[in-house]
Amino acid sequence: MSNKNKIDLHTTRVGINAINNIFIKWNCTLEDKLAILGLSESEYDFISDEKNTLNISDKINQRISYILNIYECLYVLFSNPDNRHGFLKLSNRSKLFNGVTPMDYMIKHGTISALSDVFHYLDDMLQH
């Protein structure tokens, strides 16, 4: 195995561990996690088990990337931990969310596009 593959597997494991910690901070249920990641429960259990060697699809890596970026945006936008971790579960009247929470928007749609929408919404907030 080349060094590149070892680095990629390590980076993926770090990403999985990071998003699992983020899910705890966001108070996500198992069903929330599965919808956001687009995985079945057995797939989620497999990737969360540190004993398993991971070969994650590009789609899952995209989702992980969006989750990390959403978390980073929230961290920059808010100094209060309650806002950082609770913002996604607050009702939002913007045109994008139309009264639902950003978390419900991501869960309901369960797509990479929904994660992208939330990230870009937050990123736009940072720009203004």
Side-chain angles (χ1 to χ4, degrees), residues 3 7 25 32 40 48 51 76 79 92 99 106 114 124-125:
N3 282 342
I7 292 168
K25 291 177 181 180
D32 297 343
S40 70
S48 294
K51 294 178 282 188
V76 173
S79 59
N92 191 309
M106 291 188 293
D124 285 348
M125 286 177 64

Side-chain angles (χ1 to χ4, degrees), residues 18-59:
I19 64 161
N20 279 328
N21 287 328
I22 290 169
F23 285 150
I24 290 167
K25 291 177 181 180
W26 288 349
N27 200 27
C28 291
T29 65
L30 176 60
E31 291 76 21
D32 297 343
K33 297 173 195 178
L34 299 178
I36 292 168
L37 290 171
L39 296 173
S40 70
E41 187 171 351
S42 61
E43 290 169 326
Y44 177 75
D45 289 343
F46 183 83
I47 69 166
S48 294
D49 187 338
E50 299 220 5
K51 294 178 282 188
N52 294 323
T53 301
L54 299 177
N55 184 13
I56 302 229
S57 72
D58 287 343
K59 288 182 180 182

Side-chain angles (χ1 to χ4, degrees), residues 8-21:
D8 289 345
L9 290 174
H10 175 74
T11 302
T12 299
R13 175 56 60 207
V14 169
I16 295 294
N17 290 341
I19 64 161
N20 279 328
N21 287 328

